[in-house]
Amino acid sequence: MDTLIQDIAQQVRIHLRTELLRLARDEENAAADAAARVHYWEALPPVVSGHRECALVLRRAADAIDTPRGPTHRNAPEPTPSHV
């Protein structure tokens, strides 16, 4: 995948990264919506951790794209699974 991405024009990489980050935000919002539907004392449904994991994978894919605006999360600590 690295070789393929390096060959793509800079503008396309910027748009691809932006779209991946948008999709990650959508996944986080879906996780929050699903979590909000249960009482705080109830266990979260598995779909919440699924959406969060998807968001994490999408952010990692966005960070793998070398653009002038990114990667932004490269030096950020990895999220702990305690929130999942």
Side-chain angles (χ1 to χ4, degrees), residues 21-36:
L21 291 173
R22 185 192 65 77
L23 290 169
R25 280 190 304 274
D26 289 349
E27 288 294 330
E28 285 292 345
N29 290 337
D33 290 345

Side-chain angles (χ1 to χ4, degrees), residues 11-53:
Q11 191 74 2
V12 174
R13 290 197 308 267
I14 290 169
H15 288 298
L16 177 59
R17 184 172 189 283
T18 300
E19 183 64 14
L20 288 168
L21 291 173
R22 185 192 65 77
L23 290 169
R25 280 190 304 274
D26 289 349
E27 288 294 330
E28 285 292 345
N29 290 337
D33 290 345
R37 288 192 289 269
V38 298
H39 295 97
Y40 70 89
W41 62 83
E42 295 176 324
L44 291 176
V47 71
V48 173
S49 59
H51 283 301
R52 289 177 178 163
E53 184 66 25

Side-chain angles (χ1 to χ4, degrees), residues 36-81:
R37 288 192 289 269
V38 298
H39 295 97
Y40 70 89
W41 62 83
E42 295 176 324
L44 291 176
V47 71
V48 173
S49 59
H51 283 301
R52 289 177 178 163
E53 184 66 25
C54 287
L56 179 62
V57 169
L58 288 164
R59 274 192 217 93
R60 285 181 179 163
D63 286 347
I65 298 172
D66 184 29
T67 66
R69 294 186 216 163
T72 57
H73 304 290
R74 190 166 280 170
N75 294 325
E78 285 292 320
T80 58

